[in-house]
Amino acid sequence: MVSYLLKGGTVVTVVGHEGRVYQADVLVEDSVIKDIADNIQPGPGVEVVDVEGKWITPGMVDTHRCVMMELAKT
């Protein structure tokens, strides 16, 4: 199992028509997001990646297109 902990990034999500931008850590195990929270502590074998100053867009493949399509519906 390959696990990564993305520490200190800016998470950007869109659910329905509501966007959210916040600081958080993201835990990924075997290419699946397992947790998004403040100050996640890495377990054994988890590779920590410092992403401070970077944007994390979980679930968004093409952020411009996806966000603009949602906004166009309003």
Side-chain angles (χ1 to χ4, degrees):
M1 176 168 57
V2 178
S3 299
Y4 299 96
L5 178 58
L6 308 176
K7 291 288 283 181
T10 301
V11 177
V12 180
T13 60
V14 176
V15 177
H17 297 290
E18 184 176 326
R20 185 169 176 219
V21 179
Y22 57 103
Q23 298 294 311
D25 299 340
V26 178
L27 178 63
V28 180
E29 295 177 353
D30 283 336
S31 300
V32 175
I33 296 172
K34 292 295 185 173
D35 197 7
I36 300 175
D38 291 333
N39 201 24
I40 299 173
Q41 297 302 309
V46 175
E47 181 178 339
V48 178
V49 180
D50 179 6
V51 294
E52 188 173 338
K54 307 286 189 227
W55 289 41
I56 304 170
T57 55
M60 294 184 180
V61 176
D62 180 344
T63 56
H64 285 104
R65 185 173 309 157
C66 294
V67 171
M68 295 313 290
M69 287 173 63
E70 284 298 316
L71 293 176
K73 293 178 184 177
T74 60

